Protein backbone atom coordinates (compact mmCIF):
# COMPACT_ATOMS: atom_id res chain seq x y z
CA UNK A 1 0.00 0.00 0.00
CA UNK A 2 2.78 2.32 0.95
CA UNK A 3 4.64 1.52 -2.23
CA UNK A 4 1.65 2.31 -4.39
CA UNK A 5 1.08 5.72 -2.85
CA UNK A 6 4.73 6.64 -3.23
CA UNK A 7 4.71 5.66 -6.91
CA UNK A 8 1.53 7.75 -7.29
CA UNK A 9 3.35 10.77 -5.98
CA UNK A 10 6.32 10.25 -8.23
CA UNK A 11 3.92 9.91 -11.19
CA UNK A 12 2.45 13.26 -10.37
CA UNK A 13 5.91 14.77 -10.16
CA UNK A 14 6.73 13.29 -13.53
CA UNK A 15 3.53 14.75 -14.96
CA UNK A 16 4.35 18.15 -13.55
CA UNK A 17 7.95 17.99 -14.68
CA UNK A 18 7.21 16.91 -18.26
CA UNK A 19 4.33 19.38 -18.55
CA UNK A 20 6.64 22.16 -17.48
CA UNK A 21 9.14 21.05 -20.13
CA UNK A 22 6.37 21.17 -22.73
CA UNK A 23 5.23 24.60 -21.66
CA UNK A 24 8.79 25.89 -21.57
CA UNK A 25 9.33 24.55 -25.09
CA UNK A 26 6.12 26.18 -26.30
CA UNK A 27 7.11 29.52 -24.84
CA UNK A 28 10.61 29.22 -26.25
CA UNK A 29 9.46 28.28 -29.73
CA UNK A 30 6.84 31.01 -29.70
CA UNK A 31 9.40 33.66 -28.96
CA UNK A 32 12.49 32.58 -30.79
CA UNK A 33 13.16 30.64 -33.95
CA UNK A 34 16.65 29.79 -32.75
CA UNK A 35 15.49 27.71 -29.82
CA UNK A 36 13.87 25.13 -32.06
CA UNK A 37 16.91 24.84 -34.29
CA UNK A 38 18.37 22.12 -32.11
CA UNK A 39 15.28 19.97 -32.63
CA UNK A 40 15.37 20.55 -36.38
CA UNK A 41 18.93 19.29 -36.58
CA UNK A 42 17.91 16.36 -34.41
CA UNK A 43 15.04 15.52 -36.72
CA UNK A 44 17.36 15.92 -39.64
CA UNK A 45 19.63 13.10 -38.53
CA UNK A 46 16.96 10.82 -37.08
CA UNK A 47 13.42 10.88 -38.35
CA UNK A 48 13.52 12.48 -41.78
CA UNK A 49 15.88 9.96 -43.42
CA UNK A 50 13.75 7.17 -41.97
CA UNK A 51 10.60 8.83 -43.26
CA UNK A 52 12.09 9.04 -46.67
CA UNK A 53 13.00 5.35 -46.57
CA UNK A 54 9.61 4.21 -45.27
CA UNK A 55 7.95 6.27 -47.95
CA UNK A 56 9.98 4.57 -50.65
CA UNK A 57 8.95 1.18 -49.31
CA UNK A 58 5.34 2.36 -49.08
CA UNK A 59 5.21 3.53 -52.68
CA UNK A 60 6.92 0.34 -53.76
CA UNK A 61 4.37 -1.78 -51.89
CA UNK A 62 1.58 0.33 -53.34
CA UNK A 63 2.92 -0.31 -56.81
CA UNK A 64 3.18 -4.04 -56.10
CA UNK A 65 -0.40 -4.00 -54.90
CA UNK A 66 -1.47 -2.31 -58.10
CA UNK A 67 0.31 -4.95 -60.08
CA UNK A 68 -1.64 -7.69 -58.40
CA UNK A 69 -4.93 -5.91 -58.55
CA UNK A 70 -4.92 -4.79 -62.12
CA UNK A 71 -4.90 -7.33 -64.85
CA UNK A 72 -2.95 -6.76 -67.99
CA UNK A 73 -6.02 -6.94 -70.15
CA UNK A 74 -7.86 -4.34 -68.15
CA UNK A 75 -4.85 -2.12 -68.43
CA UNK A 76 -4.59 -2.28 -72.18
CA UNK A 77 -8.33 -1.83 -72.47
CA UNK A 78 -8.18 1.10 -70.11
CA UNK A 79 -5.36 2.60 -72.12
CA UNK A 80 -7.28 2.24 -75.34
CA UNK A 81 -10.33 3.82 -73.78
CA UNK A 82 -8.22 6.56 -72.28
CA UNK A 83 -6.74 7.51 -75.62
CA UNK A 84 -10.24 7.47 -77.02
CA UNK A 85 -11.43 9.75 -74.24
CA UNK A 86 -8.45 11.99 -74.72
CA UNK A 87 -9.10 12.20 -78.44
CA UNK A 88 -12.78 12.93 -77.90
CA UNK A 89 -12.19 15.49 -75.20
CA UNK A 90 -9.56 17.18 -77.33
CA UNK A 91 -12.06 17.24 -80.17
CA UNK A 92 -14.67 18.57 -77.83
CA UNK A 93 -12.31 21.22 -76.58
CA UNK A 94 -11.63 22.30 -80.14
CA UNK A 95 -15.34 22.59 -80.79
CA UNK A 96 -16.17 24.70 -77.77
CA UNK A 97 -13.15 26.86 -78.03
CA UNK A 98 -14.25 30.42 -78.73
CA UNK A 99 -12.58 33.73 -79.22
CA UNK A 100 -12.43 34.59 -75.53
CA UNK A 101 -10.93 31.30 -74.61
CA UNK A 102 -8.29 31.77 -77.23
CA UNK A 103 -7.55 35.13 -75.78
CA UNK A 104 -7.34 33.69 -72.28
CA UNK A 105 -5.01 30.96 -73.38
CA UNK A 106 -2.83 33.49 -75.06
CA UNK A 107 -2.72 35.49 -71.87
CA UNK A 108 -1.85 32.39 -69.90
CA UNK A 109 0.83 31.61 -72.42
CA UNK A 110 2.26 35.03 -71.97
CA UNK A 111 2.20 34.60 -68.22
CA UNK A 112 3.93 31.28 -68.62
CA UNK A 113 6.57 32.92 -70.71
CA UNK A 114 6.89 35.64 -68.17
CA UNK A 115 7.38 33.26 -65.29
CA UNK A 116 9.16 30.45 -67.08
CA UNK A 117 12.52 31.77 -66.00
CA UNK A 118 11.93 31.19 -62.32
CA UNK A 119 14.60 28.90 -61.06
CA UNK A 120 13.06 25.78 -59.52
CA UNK A 121 14.36 22.66 -57.85
CA UNK A 122 12.54 19.35 -57.66
CA UNK A 123 11.69 17.78 -54.32
CA UNK A 124 10.00 14.64 -53.10
CA UNK A 125 7.23 14.61 -50.54
CA UNK A 126 8.51 12.48 -47.66
CA UNK A 127 5.99 13.01 -44.89
CA UNK A 128 2.40 13.99 -44.31
CA UNK A 129 0.91 15.73 -41.31
CA UNK A 130 0.28 13.37 -38.41
CA UNK A 131 -3.44 13.99 -38.09
CA UNK A 132 -6.53 14.67 -40.12
CA UNK A 133 -6.87 18.31 -39.25
CA UNK A 134 -4.05 19.78 -41.25
CA UNK A 135 -2.73 19.48 -44.75
CA UNK A 136 0.95 20.03 -44.28
CA UNK A 137 3.70 17.88 -45.64
CA UNK A 138 7.48 17.68 -45.52
CA UNK A 139 9.72 17.66 -48.56
CA UNK A 140 13.28 16.40 -48.77
CA UNK A 141 14.92 19.74 -49.57
CA UNK A 142 16.02 22.25 -46.97
CA UNK A 143 18.27 25.16 -46.20
CA UNK A 144 21.32 23.26 -47.47
CA UNK A 145 19.67 23.25 -50.90
CA UNK A 146 18.81 26.94 -50.64
CA UNK A 147 15.16 26.59 -49.62
CA UNK A 148 13.88 29.43 -47.48
CA UNK A 149 10.63 30.18 -45.65
CA UNK A 150 7.88 31.68 -47.89
CA UNK A 151 9.09 30.02 -51.07
CA UNK A 152 6.21 28.91 -53.30
CA UNK A 153 5.67 25.26 -54.13
CA UNK A 154 4.15 24.16 -57.41
CA UNK A 155 3.36 20.78 -58.95
CA UNK A 156 2.73 20.52 -62.65
CA UNK A 157 1.61 24.06 -63.37
CA UNK A 158 -0.59 24.52 -60.33
CA UNK A 159 0.13 26.11 -56.97
CA UNK A 160 0.56 23.64 -54.11
CA UNK A 161 1.55 25.72 -51.11
CA UNK A 162 4.20 27.67 -49.31
CA UNK A 163 7.22 26.76 -47.19
CA UNK A 164 6.54 27.46 -43.52
CA UNK A 165 9.50 25.87 -41.82
CA UNK A 166 12.98 24.91 -42.95
CA UNK A 167 15.43 22.38 -41.57
CA UNK A 168 18.84 21.54 -43.00
CA UNK A 169 17.62 18.88 -45.45
CA UNK A 170 13.85 19.15 -45.15
CA UNK A 171 11.13 21.74 -45.08
CA UNK A 172 7.50 21.85 -44.08
CA UNK A 173 4.97 23.00 -46.64
CA UNK A 174 1.48 24.26 -45.88
CA UNK A 175 -0.79 23.43 -48.80
CA UNK A 176 -3.33 25.95 -50.07
CA UNK A 177 -6.23 23.62 -49.21
CA UNK A 178 -5.32 23.73 -45.51
CA UNK A 179 -7.95 25.32 -43.32
CA UNK A 180 -5.71 28.20 -42.25
CA UNK A 181 -4.60 29.02 -45.79
CA UNK A 182 -5.69 32.23 -47.50
CA UNK A 183 -4.41 33.13 -50.95
CA UNK A 184 -5.06 36.33 -52.79
CA UNK A 185 -6.15 35.27 -56.26
CA UNK A 186 -7.61 36.82 -59.37
CA UNK A 187 -9.65 35.69 -62.33
CA UNK A 188 -7.18 35.43 -65.17
CA UNK A 189 -9.52 36.81 -67.83
CA UNK A 190 -10.82 39.84 -65.95
CA UNK A 191 -8.22 40.44 -63.23
CA UNK A 192 -10.96 40.60 -60.62
CA UNK A 193 -9.37 39.94 -57.26
CA UNK A 194 -10.67 37.38 -54.79
CA UNK A 195 -9.61 35.55 -51.64
CA UNK A 196 -9.13 31.80 -52.04
CA UNK A 197 -9.58 30.02 -48.75
CA UNK A 198 -8.86 26.41 -47.83
CA UNK A 199 -11.71 24.69 -46.01
CA UNK A 200 -11.34 21.47 -44.06
CA UNK A 201 -14.90 20.41 -44.74
CA UNK A 202 -14.50 20.82 -48.51
CA UNK A 203 -11.27 18.87 -48.89
CA UNK A 204 -13.03 15.57 -49.42
CA UNK A 205 -15.05 17.09 -52.21
CA UNK A 206 -11.79 18.34 -53.75
CA UNK A 207 -12.89 21.96 -53.65
CA UNK A 208 -11.89 25.28 -52.12
CA UNK A 209 -13.87 28.43 -51.46
CA UNK A 210 -13.30 31.82 -52.98
CA UNK A 211 -14.80 34.95 -51.50
CA UNK A 212 -15.03 38.70 -51.74
CA UNK A 213 -14.86 39.00 -55.50
CA UNK A 214 -16.34 42.29 -56.59
CA UNK A 215 -19.78 41.91 -58.16
CA UNK A 216 -19.15 44.04 -61.24
CA UNK A 217 -20.00 43.89 -64.93
CA UNK A 218 -17.24 41.43 -65.74
CA UNK A 219 -18.71 38.02 -66.47
CA UNK A 220 -17.21 35.15 -64.47
CA UNK A 221 -18.18 31.69 -65.57
CA UNK A 222 -17.63 28.11 -64.48
CA UNK A 223 -14.27 26.92 -65.79
CA UNK A 224 -12.52 30.28 -65.56
CA UNK A 225 -8.98 30.13 -64.28
CA UNK A 226 -8.01 31.65 -60.96
CA UNK A 227 -4.35 32.57 -60.58
CA UNK A 228 -2.43 34.22 -57.76
CA UNK A 229 -2.92 37.96 -57.83
CA UNK A 230 -0.49 40.81 -58.16
CA UNK A 231 -1.20 42.11 -54.67
CA UNK A 232 -0.34 38.90 -52.81
CA UNK A 233 2.68 39.48 -50.62
CA UNK A 234 3.61 35.82 -50.28
CA UNK A 235 2.72 34.22 -53.60
CA UNK A 236 4.30 35.05 -56.93
CA UNK A 237 1.91 36.47 -59.48
CA UNK A 238 0.18 34.30 -62.05
CA UNK A 239 0.54 30.82 -60.53
CA UNK A 240 -2.52 28.77 -61.42
CA UNK A 241 -4.66 27.97 -58.36
CA UNK A 242 -7.61 26.25 -60.02
CA UNK A 243 -10.80 26.51 -62.00
CA UNK A 244 -14.10 27.98 -60.90
CA UNK A 245 -16.72 25.29 -60.39
CA UNK A 246 -19.51 27.40 -58.96
CA UNK A 247 -20.08 31.11 -58.61
CA UNK A 248 -22.85 32.92 -56.74
CA UNK A 249 -23.68 36.52 -55.98
CA UNK A 250 -23.64 37.07 -52.24
CA UNK A 251 -26.75 38.30 -50.47
CA UNK A 252 -25.22 41.73 -50.04
CA UNK A 253 -25.17 42.08 -53.84
CA UNK A 254 -21.72 43.63 -53.68
CA UNK A 255 -19.52 40.57 -53.79
CA UNK A 256 -19.42 37.18 -55.42
CA UNK A 257 -18.22 33.92 -53.94
CA UNK A 258 -18.15 30.28 -54.89
CA UNK A 259 -16.00 27.21 -55.27
CA UNK A 260 -12.79 26.35 -57.03
CA UNK A 261 -11.43 22.99 -58.12
CA UNK A 262 -7.67 23.16 -57.50
CA UNK A 263 -5.39 22.51 -60.45
CA UNK A 264 -3.28 20.10 -58.40
CA UNK A 265 -4.42 16.67 -57.23
CA UNK A 266 -3.65 17.04 -53.53
CA UNK A 267 -4.42 13.41 -52.69
CA UNK A 268 -1.46 12.10 -54.64
CA UNK A 269 1.34 14.61 -54.52
CA UNK A 270 4.71 12.92 -54.76
CA UNK A 271 7.01 15.30 -56.56
CA UNK A 272 6.86 19.07 -56.31
CA UNK A 273 8.89 22.01 -57.55
CA UNK A 274 10.21 24.67 -55.22
CA UNK A 275 10.43 28.13 -56.80
CA UNK A 276 13.71 29.49 -55.54
CA UNK A 277 12.51 33.08 -55.38
CA UNK A 278 10.12 34.51 -52.85
CA UNK A 279 7.74 37.32 -53.64
CA UNK A 280 9.85 39.54 -51.39
CA UNK A 281 12.88 38.82 -53.61
CA UNK A 282 10.99 39.72 -56.76
CA UNK A 283 9.50 42.86 -55.30
CA UNK A 284 12.90 43.72 -53.85
CA UNK A 285 14.54 43.35 -57.25
CA UNK A 286 11.92 45.51 -58.89
CA UNK A 287 12.32 48.13 -56.22
CA UNK A 288 16.05 47.97 -56.69
CA UNK A 289 15.88 48.50 -60.44
CA UNK A 290 13.48 51.39 -60.02
CA UNK A 291 15.77 52.87 -57.43
CA UNK A 292 18.68 52.53 -59.82
CA UNK A 293 16.71 54.16 -62.58
CA UNK A 294 15.83 57.07 -60.40
CA UNK A 295 19.43 57.33 -59.25
CA UNK A 296 18.47 57.25 -55.68
CA UNK A 297 21.15 56.64 -53.14
CA UNK A 298 19.00 54.85 -50.63
CA UNK A 299 17.70 51.40 -51.44
CA UNK A 300 15.46 50.84 -48.51
CA UNK A 301 13.04 47.96 -48.80
CA UNK A 302 15.20 46.30 -51.43
CA UNK A 303 17.11 43.75 -49.47
CA UNK A 304 14.23 41.79 -48.00
CA UNK A 305 16.05 38.50 -47.67
CA UNK B 1 16.98 -6.98 -14.10
CA UNK B 2 18.79 -3.91 -15.35
CA UNK B 3 19.29 -5.51 -18.74
CA UNK B 4 15.56 -6.21 -19.01
CA UNK B 5 14.72 -2.65 -18.16
CA UNK B 6 17.06 -1.49 -20.86
CA UNK B 7 15.45 -3.91 -23.28
CA UNK B 8 12.01 -2.57 -22.40
CA UNK B 9 13.25 0.96 -22.91
CA UNK B 10 14.64 0.27 -26.35
CA UNK B 11 11.56 -1.64 -27.44
CA UNK B 12 9.47 1.32 -26.28
CA UNK B 13 11.60 3.77 -28.26
CA UNK B 14 11.44 1.56 -31.34
CA UNK B 15 7.65 1.30 -31.07
CA UNK B 16 7.21 5.05 -30.71
CA UNK B 17 9.51 5.72 -33.65
CA UNK B 18 7.83 3.11 -35.82
CA UNK B 19 4.32 4.33 -35.08
CA UNK B 20 5.20 8.00 -35.66
CA UNK B 21 6.91 7.08 -38.92
CA UNK B 22 3.95 5.05 -40.13
CA UNK B 23 1.55 7.76 -39.04
CA UNK B 24 3.39 10.43 -41.00
CA UNK B 25 4.22 8.47 -44.15
CA UNK B 26 2.52 5.36 -45.44
CA UNK B 27 -0.77 5.79 -43.58
CA UNK B 28 -1.99 7.77 -46.57
CA UNK B 29 -2.21 4.48 -48.44
CA UNK B 30 -5.02 3.26 -46.21
CA UNK B 31 -6.76 6.62 -45.80
CA UNK B 32 -10.50 6.40 -46.44
CA UNK B 33 -12.06 9.65 -47.62
CA UNK B 34 -8.94 11.50 -46.52
CA UNK B 35 -9.30 10.24 -42.95
CA UNK B 36 -6.49 8.33 -41.30
CA UNK B 37 -6.66 6.48 -37.99
CA UNK B 38 -4.69 7.95 -35.11
CA UNK B 39 -2.16 5.25 -34.24
CA UNK B 40 -0.27 7.47 -31.81
CA UNK B 41 -3.23 7.79 -29.47
CA UNK B 42 -3.64 3.99 -29.56
CA UNK B 43 0.00 3.50 -28.58
CA UNK B 44 -0.03 6.16 -25.88
CA UNK B 45 -3.27 4.97 -24.31
CA UNK B 46 -2.21 1.32 -24.48
CA UNK B 47 1.05 1.98 -22.69
CA UNK B 48 -0.87 4.04 -20.16
CA UNK B 49 -3.34 1.39 -19.05
CA UNK B 50 -0.96 -1.54 -19.56
CA UNK B 51 2.11 -0.19 -17.86
CA UNK B 52 0.88 2.69 -15.77
CA UNK B 53 0.94 6.43 -15.88
CA UNK B 54 4.68 6.88 -15.97
CA UNK B 55 5.34 4.84 -19.09
CA UNK B 56 2.20 6.23 -20.71
CA UNK B 57 3.54 9.72 -20.11
CA UNK B 58 6.96 8.90 -21.55
CA UNK B 59 5.49 7.33 -24.67
CA UNK B 60 3.05 10.21 -25.16
CA UNK B 61 5.72 12.80 -24.56
CA UNK B 62 8.17 11.17 -26.97
CA UNK B 63 5.68 10.61 -29.77
CA UNK B 64 4.17 14.07 -29.34
CA UNK B 65 7.57 15.71 -29.38
CA UNK B 66 8.47 13.94 -32.62
CA UNK B 67 5.22 15.16 -34.19
CA UNK B 68 5.93 18.68 -32.96
CA UNK B 69 9.38 18.69 -34.47
CA UNK B 70 8.10 17.39 -37.76
CA UNK B 71 4.94 19.44 -38.18
CA UNK B 72 4.12 21.71 -35.29
CA UNK B 73 4.56 25.44 -35.40
CA UNK B 74 4.95 25.40 -31.65
CA UNK B 75 7.12 22.69 -30.17
CA UNK B 76 5.59 21.10 -27.09
CA UNK B 77 1.91 21.31 -28.02
CA UNK B 78 1.33 17.72 -29.09
CA UNK B 79 3.86 16.54 -26.51
CA UNK B 80 1.70 18.05 -23.77
CA UNK B 81 -1.56 16.67 -25.16
CA UNK B 82 -0.28 13.13 -25.55
CA UNK B 83 1.50 13.37 -22.20
CA UNK B 84 -1.81 14.08 -20.50
CA UNK B 85 -3.50 11.22 -22.37
CA UNK B 86 -0.74 8.85 -21.27
CA UNK B 87 -1.17 9.93 -17.67
CA UNK B 88 -4.96 9.75 -17.61
CA UNK B 89 -5.06 6.33 -19.24
CA UNK B 90 -2.50 5.17 -16.69
CA UNK B 91 -5.03 5.80 -13.93
CA UNK B 92 -7.05 2.87 -15.30
CA UNK B 93 -4.21 0.40 -14.86
CA UNK B 94 -5.81 -0.85 -11.61
CA UNK B 95 -8.93 -2.16 -13.35
CA UNK B 96 -7.25 -3.28 -16.57
CA UNK B 97 -7.20 -6.98 -17.40
CA UNK B 98 -5.30 -7.99 -20.47
CA UNK B 99 -7.84 -10.65 -21.54
CA UNK B 100 -10.57 -8.07 -21.81
CA UNK B 101 -10.64 -5.93 -24.96
CA UNK B 102 -13.70 -3.87 -24.01
CA UNK B 103 -11.92 -1.52 -21.61
CA UNK B 104 -9.01 -0.77 -24.01
CA UNK B 105 -11.44 -0.02 -26.82
CA UNK B 106 -13.53 2.19 -24.58
CA UNK B 107 -10.49 4.09 -23.27
CA UNK B 108 -8.98 4.52 -26.72
CA UNK B 109 -12.30 5.71 -28.15
CA UNK B 110 -12.78 8.24 -25.40
CA UNK B 111 -9.16 9.40 -25.80
CA UNK B 112 -9.56 9.77 -29.54
CA UNK B 113 -12.78 11.74 -29.15
CA UNK B 114 -11.37 14.04 -26.49
CA UNK B 115 -8.26 14.49 -28.63
CA UNK B 116 -10.52 15.63 -31.48
CA UNK B 117 -12.22 18.12 -29.17
CA UNK B 118 -8.84 19.41 -28.01
CA UNK B 119 -7.61 20.03 -31.52
CA UNK B 120 -10.93 21.58 -32.46
CA UNK B 121 -10.73 23.93 -29.52
CA UNK B 122 -7.10 24.98 -29.80
CA UNK B 123 -6.82 25.22 -33.58
CA UNK B 124 -10.32 26.20 -34.63
CA UNK B 125 -12.28 27.83 -31.84
CA UNK B 126 -9.36 30.06 -30.91
CA UNK B 127 -9.13 31.03 -34.58
CA UNK B 128 -12.83 31.91 -34.66
CA UNK B 129 -14.11 28.87 -36.56
CA UNK B 130 -17.20 27.60 -34.76
CA UNK B 131 -18.52 25.12 -37.29
CA UNK B 132 -18.58 22.35 -34.68
CA UNK B 133 -21.13 19.89 -36.03
CA UNK B 134 -19.73 20.01 -39.51
CA UNK B 135 -16.23 19.25 -38.23
CA UNK B 136 -17.63 16.63 -35.87
CA UNK B 137 -19.17 14.82 -38.82
CA UNK B 138 -16.32 15.44 -41.22
CA UNK B 139 -13.33 14.71 -38.98
CA UNK B 140 -13.87 13.76 -35.36
CA UNK B 141 -16.37 10.91 -35.73
CA UNK B 142 -14.83 9.30 -38.85
CA UNK B 143 -11.42 9.47 -37.20
CA UNK B 144 -12.88 7.90 -34.05
CA UNK B 145 -14.42 5.03 -35.97
CA UNK B 146 -11.32 4.43 -38.03
CA UNK B 147 -9.16 4.57 -34.91
CA UNK B 148 -11.32 1.93 -33.24
CA UNK B 149 -10.93 -0.25 -36.32
CA UNK B 150 -7.17 0.27 -36.23
CA UNK B 151 -7.15 -0.57 -32.52
CA UNK B 152 -8.36 -4.08 -33.37
CA UNK B 153 -5.22 -4.48 -35.45
CA UNK B 154 -2.59 -2.60 -33.47
CA UNK B 155 -3.66 -3.34 -29.90
CA UNK B 156 -3.14 -7.14 -30.02
CA UNK B 157 0.35 -6.47 -31.36
CA UNK B 158 1.24 -4.15 -28.47
CA UNK B 159 -0.37 -6.63 -26.07
CA UNK B 160 1.72 -9.45 -27.52
CA UNK B 161 4.95 -7.52 -27.04
CA UNK B 162 3.97 -6.53 -23.52
CA UNK B 163 3.08 -10.11 -22.53
CA UNK B 164 6.32 -11.41 -23.91
CA UNK B 165 8.34 -8.90 -21.91
CA UNK B 166 6.29 -9.53 -18.81
CA UNK B 167 6.77 -13.30 -18.87
CA UNK B 168 10.47 -12.75 -19.34
CA UNK B 169 10.56 -10.43 -16.35
CA UNK B 170 8.58 -12.87 -14.23
CA UNK B 171 10.88 -15.71 -15.15
CA UNK B 172 13.87 -13.62 -14.18
CA UNK B 173 12.26 -12.56 -10.94
CA UNK B 174 11.41 -16.13 -9.91
CA UNK B 175 14.89 -17.28 -10.83
CA UNK B 176 16.53 -14.82 -8.49
CA UNK B 177 13.80 -14.48 -5.92
Amino acid sequence: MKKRSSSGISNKYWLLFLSLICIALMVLSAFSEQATGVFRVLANVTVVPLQSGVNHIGTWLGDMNDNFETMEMLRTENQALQTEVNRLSAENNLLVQDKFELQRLQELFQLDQQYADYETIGARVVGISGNNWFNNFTINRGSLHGVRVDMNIIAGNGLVGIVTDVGPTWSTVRSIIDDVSNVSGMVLATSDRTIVRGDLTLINEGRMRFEQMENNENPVAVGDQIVTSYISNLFLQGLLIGYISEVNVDSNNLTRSGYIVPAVDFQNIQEVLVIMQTKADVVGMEAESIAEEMNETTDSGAGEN
Amino acid sequence: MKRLKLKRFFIGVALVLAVVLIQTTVLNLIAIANIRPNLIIILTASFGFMRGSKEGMFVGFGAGLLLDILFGNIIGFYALIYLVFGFLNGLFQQIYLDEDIKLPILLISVSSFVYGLFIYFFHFVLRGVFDFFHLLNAIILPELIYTIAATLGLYPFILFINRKLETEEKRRASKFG
Side-chain angles (χ1 to χ4, degrees), chain A residues 8-18, chain B residues 57:
Chain A
I9 287 171
S10 84
N11 273 351
K12 273 173 201 146
Y13 278 128
W14 272 112
L15 179 67
L16 199 67
F17 174 64
L18 291 174
Chain B
M57 281 193 286

Side-chain angles (χ1 to χ4, degrees), chain B residues 105-173:
Chain B
I105 289 201
L106 182 72
L107 285 177
I108 289 171
S109 316
V110 172
S111 301
S112 173
F113 186 71
V114 175
Y115 169 82
L117 295 183
F118 262 149
I119 302 286
Y120 167 69
F121 182 78
F122 282 110
H123 282 291
F124 288 80
V125 172
L126 292 186
R127 201 152 51 80
V129 179
F130 297 104
D131 199 3
F132 178 68
F133 287 103
H134 208 147
L135 288 171
L136 184 76
N137 280 332
I139 309 283
I140 299 179
L141 288 183
E143 181 175 322
L144 172 66
I145 291 166
Y146 207 176
T147 302
I148 293 174
T151 305
L152 299 176
L154 185 61
Y155 172 74
F157 176 69
I158 301 172
L159 187 65
F160 170 75
I161 291 178
N162 189 43
R163 269 184 188 162
K164 207 153 188 191
L165 286 172
E166 245 161 30
T167 47
E168 207 170 321
E169 275 165 8
K170 270 183 198 150
R171 208 170 56 219
R172 271 305 156 89

Side-chain angles (χ1 to χ4, degrees), chain A residues 4 10-12 14-16 18-23 25-27 29-30 36 39-40 42-43 46-48 50-52 54-55 57-59 61-62 126-138 164-165 170 172 179-180 200-201 203-205 267, chain B residues 17 20-29 33-38 40 52-55 57-58 61 65-67 69-80 82-84 87 94 115-117 119-120 123-124 127 129 131 134-135 138-140 143:
Chain A
R4 183 182 293 166
S10 84
N11 273 351
K12 273 173 201 146
W14 272 112
L15 179 67
L16 199 67
L18 291 174
S19 305
L20 283 179
I21 290 185
C22 289
I23 291 166
L25 282 173
M26 278 194 249
V27 172
S29 59
T36 57
F39 290 107
R40 295 216 185 101
L42 210 67
T46 54
V47 186
V48 174
L50 285 172
Q51 269 190 329
S52 166
V54 172
N55 240 333
I57 297 169
T59 3
L61 281 178
V126 294
I128 50 176
S129 63
N131 60 27
N132 297 316
W133 297 86
F134 301 103
N135 280 276
N136 308 334
F137 52 89
T138 40
T164 54
D165 214 350
W170 55 277
T172 312
D179 205 79
V180 300
L200 189 57
T201 53
I203 285 174
N204 283 340
E205 303 166 28
Q267 302 291 337
Chain B
L17 207 58
V20 171
L21 277 179
I22 290 171
Q23 180 84 39
T24 59
T25 54
V26 288
L27 215 61
N28 246 4
L29 293 178
N34 213 11
I35 292 290
R36 291 162 283 164
N38 190 344
I40 297 170
S53 286
K54 202 197 274 182
E55 290 199 22
M57 281 193 286
F58 285 149
F61 181 73
L65 198 61
L66 277 179
L67 276 186
I69 293 169
L70 290 173
F71 287 103
N73 297 326
I74 291 179
I75 289 181
F77 177 74
Y78 285 110
L80 186 57
Y82 284 112
L83 172 77
V84 172
F87 178 77
Q94 311 288 345
Y115 169 82
L117 295 183
I119 302 286
Y120 167 69
H123 282 291
F124 288 80
R127 201 152 51 80
V129 179
D131 199 3
H134 208 147
L135 288 171
I139 309 283
I140 299 179
E143 181 175 322

